[in-house]
């Protein structure tokens, strides 16, 4: 008996990419930035998309890359392959940071960097309220939709607390919560040829 079932076909159940949603890479995506990644979309429009990889920490602190930054115990994450020499951030500080972009719920993107440094110097920011990234993930118009049509990304929602959590196992955790269809992805070897 022949089985006609594709375990790696993504079923997004009419969920389209939009600001505030997450993208979860399929298990065999062979890209150094996006392999087994979870990406928060901070912008999505007809002009393209911007997001940040949430689960790729690097062994650097923000003070290692910005010398005049106040002492602050937080790690940096690889945000994506674009603008790798730039620092970006998401936060839950809302209106405290002028010019921030509201992403969803209590999650904001960017804003006045000098104000962030000032609040940190004053001890008014907890590391759980902000996440810093080197680089970002960017897609030109319709590029992300094309990748989704080619089964590269599963689209889902995530609670703000999960988005702000520095969870390196986020990819597996979210897939396990999405049910048996995607739980199987977590057991797939990163390189099936070595299995």
């Amino acid at each position: 008996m022949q089985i006609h079932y594709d375990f790696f076909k993504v079923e997004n159940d009419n969920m389209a990419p939009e600001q505030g949603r997450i993208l979860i890479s399929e298990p065999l995506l062979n890209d150094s930035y996006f392999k087994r990644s979870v990406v928060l979309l901070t912008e999505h429009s007809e002009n393209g998309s911007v997001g940040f990889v949430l689960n790729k920490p690097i062994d650097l602190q923000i003070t290692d890359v910005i010398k005049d930054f106040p002492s602050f115990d937080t790690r940096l994450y690889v945000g994506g392959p674009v603008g790798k020499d730039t620092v970006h951030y998401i936060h839950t500080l809302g209106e405290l940071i002028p010019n921030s972009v509201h992403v969803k719920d209590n999650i904001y993107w960017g804003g006045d960097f000098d104000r962030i440094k000032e609040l940190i110097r004053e001890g008014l920011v907890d590391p759980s309220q902000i996440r810093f990234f080197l680089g970002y993930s960017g897609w030109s118009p319709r590029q992300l939709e094309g990748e989704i049509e080619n089964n590269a990304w599963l689209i889902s929602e995530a609670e703000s607390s999960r988005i702000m959590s520095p969870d390196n196992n986020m990819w597996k955790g979210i897939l396990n919560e999405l049910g048996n269809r995607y739980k199987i992805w977590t057991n797939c070897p990163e390189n099936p040829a070595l299995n």
Side-chain angles (χ1 to χ4, degrees), residues 150-173:
N150 287 321
N151 290 311
W153 299 105
L154 172 64
I155 305 166
S156 189
E157 302 278 357
E159 296 292 325
S160 297
S161 58
R162 173 162 258 161
I163 290 168
M164 295 306 293
S165 170
D167 178 5
N168 301 342
N169 294 312
M170 184 182 290
W171 184 83
K172 278 189 173 185

Side-chain angles (χ1 to χ4, degrees), residues 1 4 18 21 50 62 67 69 80 118 120 164:
M1 180 165 106
H4 296 285
E18 68 179 47
R21 288 189 171 158
V50 174
I62 185 71
K67 297 305 176 198
F69 203 86
E118 185 180 303
I120 288 171
M164 295 306 293

Side-chain angles (χ1 to χ4, degrees), residues 28-46:
L28 302 177
L29 186 64
N30 193 14
D31 178 286
S32 59
Y33 288 97
F34 297 123
K35 180 185 279 186
R36 299 191 179 214
S37 66
V38 177
V39 178
L40 171 67
L41 285 176
T42 53
E43 181 180 316
H44 180 74
S45 71
E46 66 277 355

Side-chain angles (χ1 to χ4, degrees), residues 9-26:
K9 180 159 178 32
V10 175
E11 292 181 358
N12 278 311
D13 299 323
N14 298 320
M15 189 172 283
E18 68 179 47
Q19 180 175 306
R21 288 189 171 158
I22 58 170
L23 304 174
I24 304 150
S25 68
E26 60 92 1

